[in-house]
Amino acid sequence: MIAEHVRDLAATAVIFGFFASSWFGWAQEAPPRRWRAFLAAGSITSILTAIAGGLLTWRHWNDGTAFDEDTSRAFGIVVAIEFGAAALGSVLLAVRRRSDLISVWIAFVVGVHLFPVAVLIGYPMIHVVAALITVASLVAIPIARARKLTVSAVVGAPTGLILLAGALFSVISAAVNGS
């Protein structure tokens, strides 16, 4: 379930930790009052995990990595497609006056783009994160409607939690395997 290279584990913790904090932040748009402390704790924990991952990445910077010229190019293409799809869908939703659904669209795109990323860097755990985020995006609208909650809270909280779990798994794996 872990990547071959400690540096890749640590860098994943940085990226997932940073974006987890962003998703917890997005969920704070208009959450139920009782969620606020959880969302704030999630944001803080995510940033601390990203910092720990950053320190481990720095420590293992000269170690091996899955990224070579071909992998880096393919990764860039995957990320460009992700950003393009996210931007295009967001613009279309805004034009259609459905800005409330942008968070769900972005979560869906993020989830789907993580499948090829997992393959590119040889890190199977990312498949789990990808699947869970994709599912969270697909069920967010019906859950939000049924419970009269904002869509951003319903998709942001679980997406943040999933990314935080992936970041914690990665930083712990990097710490254990990098000793």
mmCIF file of all heavy atoms in Angstrom, residues 39-78:
data_model
loop_
_atom_site.group_PDB
_atom_site.id
_atom_site.type_symbol
_atom_site.label_atom_id
_atom_site.label_comp_id
_atom_site.label_asym_id
_atom_site.label_seq_id
_atom_site.Cartn_x
_atom_site.Cartn_y
_atom_site.Cartn_z
ATOM 1 N N LEU A 39 -14.152 21.143 12.076
ATOM 2 C CA LEU A 39 -13.543 21.664 10.853
ATOM 3 C C LEU A 39 -12.273 22.453 11.152
ATOM 4 O O LEU A 39 -11.266 22.327 10.434
ATOM 5 C CB LEU A 39 -14.545 22.519 10.083
ATOM 6 C CG LEU A 39 -15.762 21.768 9.531
ATOM 7 C CD1 LEU A 39 -16.798 22.750 8.985
ATOM 8 C CD2 LEU A 39 -15.354 20.768 8.471
ATOM 9 N N ALA A 40 -12.296 23.240 12.210
ATOM 10 C CA ALA A 40 -11.095 23.996 12.600
ATOM 11 C C ALA A 40 -9.981 23.044 13.032
ATOM 12 O O ALA A 40 -8.821 23.215 12.638
ATOM 13 C CB ALA A 40 -11.433 24.969 13.727
ATOM 14 N N ALA A 41 -10.324 22.037 13.818
ATOM 15 C CA ALA A 41 -9.315 21.053 14.246
ATOM 16 C C ALA A 41 -8.756 20.304 13.034
ATOM 17 O O ALA A 41 -7.550 20.035 12.959
ATOM 18 C CB ALA A 41 -9.935 20.071 15.238
ATOM 19 N N GLY A 42 -9.619 19.981 12.081
ATOM 20 C CA GLY A 42 -9.166 19.316 10.863
ATOM 21 C C GLY A 42 -8.196 20.185 10.080
ATOM 22 O O GLY A 42 -7.165 19.701 9.587
ATOM 23 N N SER A 43 -8.504 21.476 9.973
ATOM 24 C CA SER A 43 -7.611 22.402 9.262
ATOM 25 C C SER A 43 -6.252 22.487 9.936
ATOM 26 O O SER A 43 -5.213 22.417 9.269
ATOM 27 C CB SER A 43 -8.233 23.803 9.195
ATOM 28 O OG SER A 43 -9.358 23.817 8.362
ATOM 29 N N ILE A 44 -6.243 22.625 11.245
ATOM 30 C CA ILE A 44 -4.989 22.748 11.990
ATOM 31 C C ILE A 44 -4.176 21.455 11.887
ATOM 32 O O ILE A 44 -2.968 21.482 11.624
ATOM 33 C CB ILE A 44 -5.268 23.125 13.458
ATOM 34 C CG1 ILE A 44 -5.834 24.542 13.518
ATOM 35 C CG2 ILE A 44 -4.013 22.993 14.315
ATOM 36 C CD1 ILE A 44 -6.469 24.909 14.847
ATOM 37 N N THR A 45 -4.831 20.321 12.088
ATOM 38 C CA THR A 45 -4.142 19.027 11.992
ATOM 39 C C THR A 45 -3.576 18.821 10.590
ATOM 40 O O THR A 45 -2.462 18.307 10.425
ATOM 41 C CB THR A 45 -5.098 17.880 12.368
ATOM 42 O OG1 THR A 45 -5.634 18.135 13.666
ATOM 43 C CG2 THR A 45 -4.385 16.536 12.354
ATOM 44 N N SER A 46 -4.322 19.239 9.590
ATOM 45 C CA SER A 46 -3.867 19.099 8.204
ATOM 46 C C SER A 46 -2.606 19.919 7.951
ATOM 47 O O SER A 46 -1.649 19.429 7.333
ATOM 48 C CB SER A 46 -4.973 19.546 7.241
ATOM 49 O OG SER A 46 -6.105 18.733 7.377
ATOM 50 N N ILE A 47 -2.592 21.154 8.426
ATOM 51 C CA ILE A 47 -1.412 22.011 8.235
ATOM 52 C C ILE A 47 -0.209 21.439 8.980
ATOM 53 O O ILE A 47 0.905 21.404 8.449
ATOM 54 C CB ILE A 47 -1.709 23.457 8.688
ATOM 55 C CG1 ILE A 47 -2.711 24.103 7.735
ATOM 56 C CG2 ILE A 47 -0.438 24.285 8.779
ATOM 57 C CD1 ILE A 47 -2.228 24.271 6.303
ATOM 58 N N LEU A 48 -0.419 20.975 10.206
ATOM 59 C CA LEU A 48 0.684 20.376 10.964
ATOM 60 C C LEU A 48 1.223 19.126 10.265
ATOM 61 O O LEU A 48 2.442 18.888 10.233
ATOM 62 C CB LEU A 48 0.242 20.051 12.390
ATOM 63 C CG LEU A 48 -0.068 21.265 13.275
ATOM 64 C CD1 LEU A 48 -0.651 20.817 14.609
ATOM 65 C CD2 LEU A 48 1.171 22.123 13.464
ATOM 66 N N THR A 49 0.333 18.334 9.682
ATOM 67 C CA THR A 49 0.750 17.141 8.941
ATOM 68 C C THR A 49 1.535 17.538 7.696
ATOM 69 O O THR A 49 2.558 16.918 7.376
ATOM 70 C CB THR A 49 -0.478 16.285 8.562
ATOM 71 O OG1 THR A 49 -1.205 15.973 9.758
ATOM 72 C CG2 THR A 49 -0.071 14.994 7.861
ATOM 73 N N ALA A 50 1.083 18.580 7.000
ATOM 74 C CA ALA A 50 1.801 19.064 5.825
ATOM 75 C C ALA A 50 3.201 19.548 6.203
ATOM 76 O O ALA A 50 4.176 19.278 5.484
ATOM 77 C CB ALA A 50 1.016 20.182 5.141
ATOM 78 N N ILE A 51 3.313 20.233 7.330
ATOM 79 C CA ILE A 51 4.625 20.712 7.790
ATOM 80 C C ILE A 51 5.541 19.533 8.104
ATOM 81 O O ILE A 51 6.712 19.510 7.694
ATOM 82 C CB ILE A 51 4.468 21.651 9.005
ATOM 83 C CG1 ILE A 51 3.807 22.960 8.569
ATOM 84 C CG2 ILE A 51 5.810 21.907 9.689
ATOM 85 C CD1 ILE A 51 3.344 23.848 9.714
ATOM 86 N N ALA A 52 5.009 18.535 8.806
ATOM 87 C CA ALA A 52 5.816 17.341 9.116
ATOM 88 C C ALA A 52 6.253 16.657 7.824
ATOM 89 O O ALA A 52 7.412 16.241 7.683
ATOM 90 C CB ALA A 52 5.020 16.380 9.998
ATOM 91 N N GLY A 53 5.340 16.560 6.863
ATOM 92 C CA GLY A 53 5.683 15.976 5.569
ATOM 93 C C GLY A 53 6.742 16.798 4.850
ATOM 94 O O GLY A 53 7.652 16.248 4.221
ATOM 95 N N GLY A 54 6.649 18.115 4.971
ATOM 96 C CA GLY A 54 7.642 18.993 4.362
ATOM 97 C C GLY A 54 9.030 18.792 4.946
ATOM 98 O O GLY A 54 10.029 18.747 4.211
ATOM 99 N N LEU A 55 9.089 18.641 6.256
ATOM 100 C CA LEU A 55 10.387 18.398 6.899
ATOM 101 C C LEU A 55 10.972 17.056 6.463
ATOM 102 O O LEU A 55 12.177 16.951 6.203
ATOM 103 C CB LEU A 55 10.235 18.459 8.423
ATOM 104 C CG LEU A 55 9.905 19.840 8.989
ATOM 105 C CD1 LEU A 55 9.555 19.740 10.473
ATOM 106 C CD2 LEU A 55 11.051 20.813 8.749
ATOM 107 N N LEU A 56 10.125 16.039 6.355
ATOM 108 C CA LEU A 56 10.597 14.729 5.898
ATOM 109 C C LEU A 56 10.980 14.760 4.416
ATOM 110 O O LEU A 56 11.941 14.107 4.013
ATOM 111 C CB LEU A 56 9.540 13.654 6.152
ATOM 112 C CG LEU A 56 9.401 13.207 7.610
ATOM 113 C CD1 LEU A 56 8.132 12.392 7.805
ATOM 114 C CD2 LEU A 56 10.626 12.410 8.025
ATOM 115 N N THR A 57 10.241 15.517 3.617
ATOM 116 C CA THR A 57 10.602 15.651 2.205
ATOM 117 C C THR A 57 11.978 16.288 2.079
ATOM 118 O O THR A 57 12.825 15.825 1.313
ATOM 119 C CB THR A 57 9.552 16.494 1.446
ATOM 120 O OG1 THR A 57 8.267 15.883 1.579
ATOM 121 C CG2 THR A 57 9.901 16.628 -0.030
ATOM 122 N N TRP A 58 12.198 17.335 2.828
ATOM 123 C CA TRP A 58 13.491 18.024 2.815
ATOM 124 C C TRP A 58 14.609 17.074 3.249
ATOM 125 O O TRP A 58 15.660 17.017 2.614
ATOM 126 C CB TRP A 58 13.422 19.248 3.732
ATOM 127 C CG TRP A 58 14.715 19.971 3.896
ATOM 128 C CD1 TRP A 58 15.374 20.697 2.948
ATOM 129 C CD2 TRP A 58 15.501 20.021 5.069
ATOM 130 N NE1 TRP A 58 16.533 21.208 3.473
ATOM 131 C CE2 TRP A 58 16.637 20.809 4.785
ATOM 132 C CE3 TRP A 58 15.367 19.486 6.356
ATOM 133 C CZ2 TRP A 58 17.617 21.060 5.722
ATOM 134 C CZ3 TRP A 58 16.343 19.759 7.279
ATOM 135 C CH2 TRP A 58 17.453 20.529 6.956
ATOM 136 N N ARG A 59 14.340 16.323 4.309
ATOM 137 C CA ARG A 59 15.336 15.382 4.840
ATOM 138 C C ARG A 59 15.684 14.292 3.818
ATOM 139 O O ARG A 59 16.821 13.822 3.758
ATOM 140 C CB ARG A 59 14.801 14.755 6.123
ATOM 141 C CG ARG A 59 15.753 13.805 6.789
ATOM 142 C CD ARG A 59 15.187 13.353 8.112
ATOM 143 N NE ARG A 59 15.971 12.244 8.620
ATOM 144 C CZ ARG A 59 15.554 11.413 9.522
ATOM 145 N NH1 ARG A 59 14.352 11.559 10.059
ATOM 146 N NH2 ARG A 59 16.312 10.429 9.926
ATOM 147 N N HIS A 60 14.725 13.883 3.005
ATOM 148 C CA HIS A 60 14.923 12.786 2.047
ATOM 149 C C HIS A 60 14.963 13.274 0.594
ATOM 150 O O HIS A 60 14.761 12.481 -0.334
ATOM 151 C CB HIS A 60 13.819 11.733 2.222
ATOM 152 C CG HIS A 60 13.900 11.030 3.533
ATOM 153 N ND1 HIS A 60 14.775 9.997 3.760
ATOM 154 C CD2 HIS A 60 13.240 11.247 4.707
ATOM 155 C CE1 HIS A 60 14.641 9.589 5.017
ATOM 156 N NE2 HIS A 60 13.713 10.331 5.611
ATOM 157 N N TRP A 61 15.232 14.559 0.400
ATOM 158 C CA TRP A 61 15.191 15.146 -0.930
ATOM 159 C C TRP A 61 16.126 14.441 -1.918
ATOM 160 O O TRP A 61 15.803 14.280 -3.085
ATOM 161 C CB TRP A 61 15.512 16.633 -0.875
ATOM 162 C CG TRP A 61 15.267 17.270 -2.211
ATOM 163 C CD1 TRP A 61 16.196 17.661 -3.126
ATOM 164 C CD2 TRP A 61 13.991 17.541 -2.788
ATOM 165 N NE1 TRP A 61 15.578 18.170 -4.240
ATOM 166 C CE2 TRP A 61 14.212 18.105 -4.062
ATOM 167 C CE3 TRP A 61 12.668 17.359 -2.362
ATOM 168 C CZ2 TRP A 61 13.185 18.501 -4.905
ATOM 169 C CZ3 TRP A 61 11.657 17.754 -3.207
ATOM 170 C CH2 TRP A 61 11.914 18.305 -4.458
ATOM 171 N N ASN A 62 17.278 14.023 -1.470
ATOM 172 C CA ASN A 62 18.256 13.392 -2.359
ATOM 173 C C ASN A 62 18.077 11.883 -2.468
ATOM 174 O O ASN A 62 18.872 11.220 -3.133
ATOM 175 C CB ASN A 62 19.678 13.740 -1.916
ATOM 176 C CG ASN A 62 19.956 15.213 -2.105
ATOM 177 O OD1 ASN A 62 19.551 15.808 -3.102
ATOM 178 N ND2 ASN A 62 20.611 15.832 -1.136
ATOM 179 N N ASP A 63 17.063 11.343 -1.819
ATOM 180 C CA ASP A 63 16.749 9.921 -1.950
ATOM 181 C C ASP A 63 16.034 9.699 -3.276
ATOM 182 O O ASP A 63 15.712 10.634 -3.999
ATOM 183 C CB ASP A 63 15.858 9.456 -0.795
ATOM 184 C CG ASP A 63 16.557 9.539 0.563
ATOM 185 O OD1 ASP A 63 17.745 9.902 0.600
ATOM 186 O OD2 ASP A 63 15.897 9.267 1.579
ATOM 187 N N GLY A 64 15.713 8.467 -3.565
ATOM 188 C CA GLY A 64 15.027 8.144 -4.813
ATOM 189 C C GLY A 64 13.613 8.700 -4.869
ATOM 190 O O GLY A 64 13.020 9.059 -3.848
ATOM 191 N N THR A 65 13.081 8.767 -6.086
ATOM 192 C CA THR A 65 11.714 9.209 -6.323
ATOM 193 C C THR A 65 11.173 8.511 -7.565
ATOM 194 O O THR A 65 11.949 8.093 -8.435
ATOM 195 C CB THR A 65 11.628 10.743 -6.501
ATOM 196 O OG1 THR A 65 10.265 11.109 -6.720
ATOM 197 C CG2 THR A 65 12.495 11.239 -7.636
ATOM 198 N N ALA A 66 9.878 8.391 -7.642
ATOM 199 C CA ALA A 66 9.240 7.804 -8.818
ATOM 200 C C ALA A 66 9.286 8.766 -10.004
ATOM 201 O O ALA A 66 9.052 8.366 -11.135
ATOM 202 C CB ALA A 66 7.795 7.446 -8.503
ATOM 203 N N PHE A 67 9.578 10.018 -9.739
ATOM 204 C CA PHE A 67 9.562 11.025 -10.796
ATOM 205 C C PHE A 67 10.862 11.035 -11.586
ATOM 206 O O PHE A 67 11.924 11.305 -11.054
ATOM 207 C CB PHE A 67 9.283 12.417 -10.209
ATOM 208 C CG PHE A 67 7.860 12.585 -9.785
ATOM 209 C CD1 PHE A 67 7.478 12.317 -8.487
ATOM 210 C CD2 PHE A 67 6.899 12.991 -10.693
ATOM 211 C CE1 PHE A 67 6.162 12.450 -8.094
ATOM 212 C CE2 PHE A 67 5.573 13.132 -10.315
ATOM 213 C CZ PHE A 67 5.206 12.861 -9.010
ATOM 214 N N ASP A 68 10.723 10.722 -12.860
ATOM 215 C CA ASP A 68 11.814 10.887 -13.813
ATOM 216 C C ASP A 68 11.253 11.785 -14.921
ATOM 217 O O ASP A 68 10.162 12.345 -14.779
ATOM 218 C CB ASP A 68 12.309 9.537 -14.348
ATOM 219 C CG ASP A 68 11.220 8.703 -15.012
ATOM 220 O OD1 ASP A 68 10.175 9.264 -15.424
ATOM 221 O OD2 ASP A 68 11.405 7.491 -15.136
ATOM 222 N N GLU A 69 11.968 11.904 -16.015
ATOM 223 C CA GLU A 69 11.510 12.803 -17.081
ATOM 224 C C GLU A 69 10.138 12.389 -17.624
ATOM 225 O O GLU A 69 9.252 13.224 -17.787
ATOM 226 C CB GLU A 69 12.540 12.827 -18.209
ATOM 227 C CG GLU A 69 12.244 13.878 -19.260
ATOM 228 C CD GLU A 69 13.324 13.959 -20.310
ATOM 229 O OE1 GLU A 69 14.500 13.723 -19.988
ATOM 230 O OE2 GLU A 69 12.971 14.261 -21.467
ATOM 231 N N ASP A 70 9.938 11.102 -17.870
ATOM 232 C CA ASP A 70 8.666 10.628 -18.420
ATOM 233 C C ASP A 70 7.525 10.748 -17.412
ATOM 234 O O ASP A 70 6.426 11.192 -17.749
ATOM 235 C CB ASP A 70 8.792 9.179 -18.890
ATOM 236 C CG ASP A 70 9.696 9.041 -20.107
ATOM 237 O OD1 ASP A 70 9.835 10.025 -20.862
ATOM 238 O OD2 ASP A 70 10.270 7.955 -20.292
ATOM 239 N N THR A 71 7.797 10.331 -16.175
ATOM 240 C CA THR A 71 6.764 10.411 -15.133
ATOM 241 C C THR A 71 6.374 11.859 -14.874
ATOM 242 O O THR A 71 5.197 12.169 -14.725
ATOM 243 C CB THR A 71 7.259 9.754 -13.829
ATOM 244 O OG1 THR A 71 7.701 8.435 -14.116
ATOM 245 C CG2 THR A 71 6.175 9.707 -12.781
ATOM 246 N N SER A 72 7.363 12.727 -14.825
ATOM 247 C CA SER A 72 7.091 14.150 -14.580
ATOM 248 C C SER A 72 6.228 14.737 -15.693
ATOM 249 O O SER A 72 5.288 15.501 -15.428
ATOM 250 C CB SER A 72 8.393 14.925 -14.458
ATOM 251 O OG SER A 72 9.102 14.499 -13.319
ATOM 252 N N ARG A 73 6.523 14.391 -16.932
ATOM 253 C CA ARG A 73 5.734 14.890 -18.067
ATOM 254 C C ARG A 73 4.301 14.372 -17.969
ATOM 255 O O ARG A 73 3.339 15.138 -18.104
ATOM 256 C CB ARG A 73 6.367 14.460 -19.382
ATOM 257 C CG ARG A 73 5.670 15.050 -20.605
ATOM 258 C CD ARG A 73 6.313 14.669 -21.944
ATOM 259 N NE ARG A 73 7.735 14.971 -21.968
ATOM 260 C CZ ARG A 73 8.702 14.034 -21.999
ATOM 261 N NH1 ARG A 73 8.408 12.755 -22.018
ATOM 262 N NH2 ARG A 73 9.973 14.389 -22.022
ATOM 263 N N ALA A 74 4.138 13.087 -17.723
ATOM 264 C CA ALA A 74 2.793 12.499 -17.620
ATOM 265 C C ALA A 74 2.023 13.110 -16.449
ATOM 266 O O ALA A 74 0.831 13.410 -16.565
ATOM 267 C CB ALA A 74 2.894 10.984 -17.461
ATOM 268 N N PHE A 75 2.721 13.308 -15.329
ATOM 269 C CA PHE A 75 2.087 13.927 -14.162
ATOM 270 C C PHE A 75 1.611 15.335 -14.516
ATOM 271 O O PHE A 75 0.487 15.732 -14.164
ATOM 272 C CB PHE A 75 3.069 13.968 -12.991
ATOM 273 C CG PHE A 75 2.508 14.550 -11.739
ATOM 274 C CD1 PHE A 75 1.708 13.795 -10.896
ATOM 275 C CD2 PHE A 75 2.766 15.863 -11.384
ATOM 276 C CE1 PHE A 75 1.179 14.330 -9.727
ATOM 277 C CE2 PHE A 75 2.244 16.413 -10.219
ATOM 278 C CZ PHE A 75 1.453 15.644 -9.397
ATOM 279 N N GLY A 76 2.439 16.086 -15.205
ATOM 280 C CA GLY A 76 2.062 17.437 -15.622
ATOM 281 C C GLY A 76 0.825 17.438 -16.504
ATOM 282 O O GLY A 76 -0.051 18.303 -16.368
ATOM 283 N N ILE A 77 0.740 16.463 -17.396
ATOM 284 C CA ILE A 77 -0.426 16.357 -18.273
ATOM 285 C C ILE A 77 -1.680 16.042 -17.462
ATOM 286 O O ILE A 77 -2.734 16.645 -17.660
ATOM 287 C CB ILE A 77 -0.180 15.304 -19.374
ATOM 288 C CG1 ILE A 77 0.883 15.813 -20.351
ATOM 289 C CG2 ILE A 77 -1.478 14.952 -20.108
ATOM 290 C CD1 ILE A 77 1.419 14.752 -21.305
ATOM 291 N N VAL A 78 -1.567 15.098 -16.525
ATOM 292 C CA VAL A 78 -2.717 14.735 -15.682
ATOM 293 C C VAL A 78 -3.196 15.950 -14.879
ATOM 294 O O VAL A 78 -4.395 16.232 -14.806
ATOM 295 C CB VAL A 78 -2.373 13.554 -14.746
ATOM 296 C CG1 VAL A 78 -3.440 13.357 -13.679
ATOM 297 C CG2 VAL A 78 -2.187 12.274 -15.554
#
